[in-house]
Amino acid sequence: TQLLEQSPQFLSIQEGENLTVYCNSSSVFSSLQWYRQEPGEGPVLLVTVVTGGEVKKLKRLTFQFGDARKDSSLHITAAQTGDTGLYLCAGVMGGANNLFFGTGTRLTVIP
Amino acid sequence: GAGVSQSPSNKVTEKGKDVELRCDPISGHTALYWYRQSLGQGLEFLIYFQGNSAPDKSGLPSDRFSAERTGGSVSTLTIQRTQQEDSAVYLCASSLFRSSGYLSTDTQYFGPGTRLTVL
């Protein structure tokens, strides 16, 4: 059983479109991270959100942490082909030594 | 600087054989993690090392799995009597330190992984 569920699992969109990926849980996390993973490589950290309700922007990417610290979203504006990859959310729980990863969203941006 | 490296990049083995996977963390990183990524699944935590503390083995799926970290640097993950369900990408990550307290925001740097296929 996954603590963090991501939706959608797969997403294929045209270049220039906007999209939102969701990361949901019934558990509370002390912080939440978003990663992007490309084929043959390990995940690379994009952002960490710590405070409930926090919004962080990274160029065309906007990350939000839910008020109750149980969910998060990633919004991409005007997607580019370079955004193609596997997006993973990962939560940190107080007292745990590891990250709890979501199920992943595989994004394909078509030129 | 050099990132986390893992070897081999690919390993094909027969059911029942033992395998060893190696991880070289970033120099100076005291924390080291092993994760497993199966097809269509997210990353599953396996084991965590921090400095000289006893490792957190809570994620190891069975006693066929073990890991060592020698000299606080290189780590080896060993899978004995491999089974087909062990087929996955095994990822290693390291971080500078493990923050204490509630707000842990350490950045984990991942290696490229070892793809294990058990026939």
Side-chain angles (χ1 to χ4, degrees):
Chain A
T1 304
Q2 296 275 159
L3 275 183
L4 284 163
E5 294 288 338
Q6 287 184 238
S7 61
Q9 187 176 358
F10 298 95
L11 187 55
S12 181
I13 62 171
Q14 294 290 134
E15 195 169 26
E17 292 184 344
N18 301 333
L19 67 111
T20 302
V21 176
Y22 299 93
C23 174
N24 295 301
S25 177
S26 57
S27 301
V28 176
F29 294 93
S30 57
S31 64
L32 199 134
Q33 300 179 335
W34 284 91
Y35 291 80
R36 183 169 73 204
Q37 184 178 20
E38 303 199 19
E41 299 181 7
V44 175
L45 179 67
L46 296 174
V47 77
T48 300
V49 285
V50 176
T51 307
E54 181 177 4
V55 176
K56 276 193 175 178
K57 292 194 174 184
L58 186 66
K59 297 183 180 178
R60 294 175 295 101
L61 278 60
T62 302
F63 304 86
Q64 184 163 7
F65 201 10
D67 291 341
R69 300 161 82 157
K70 293 183 179 180
D71 53 82
S72 182
S73 64
L74 158 61
H75 182 80
I76 301 179
T77 304
Q80 300 177 355
T81 55
D83 296 328
T84 293
L86 177 66
Y87 288 82
L88 295 160
C89 63
V92 176
M93 294 183 108
N97 290 317
N98 57 288
L99 292 169
F100 295 90
F101 278 87
T103 47
T105 295
R106 190 166 296 280
L107 171 65
T108 303
V109 181
I110 304 166
Chain B
V4 178
S5 61
Q6 293 187 243
S7 61
S9 55
N10 282 284
K11 176 71 176 179
V12 180
T13 190
E14 293 180 347
K15 178 181 172 181
K17 296 284 181 71
D18 298 350
V19 295
E20 284 189 353
L21 312 179
R22 177 186 168 106
C23 172
D24 282 88
I26 294 173
S27 177
H29 281 193
T30 60
L32 186 147
Y33 308 76
W34 283 98
Y35 293 88
R36 178 169 70 176
Q37 186 172 31
S38 304
L39 190 63
Q41 300 287 325
L43 276 72
E44 172 191 12
F45 166 72
L46 297 176
I47 188 168
Y48 161 75
F49 296 90
Q50 169 60 42
N52 296 319
S53 302
D56 176 354
K57 304 180 182 180
S58 60
L60 294 178
S62 77
D63 58 8
R64 295 187 296 105
F65 288 72
S66 62
E68 291 184 339
R69 189 178 185 192
T70 53
S73 181
V74 171
S75 177
T76 302
L77 177 69
T78 301
I79 309 173
Q80 295 179 310
R81 305 181 302 282
T82 52
Q83 303 294 312
Q84 288 182 332
E85 60 263 28
D86 299 334
S87 294
V89 175
Y90 289 82
L91 290 158
C92 173
S94 69
S95 69
L96 188 58
F97 61 89
R98 173 73 168 90
S99 301
S100 60
Y102 189 62
L103 296 176
S104 170
T105 57
D106 293 351
T107 298
Q108 294 186 23
Y109 296 87
F110 285 82
T114 294
R115 181 174 297 278
L116 174 66
T117 304
V118 182
L119 301 176

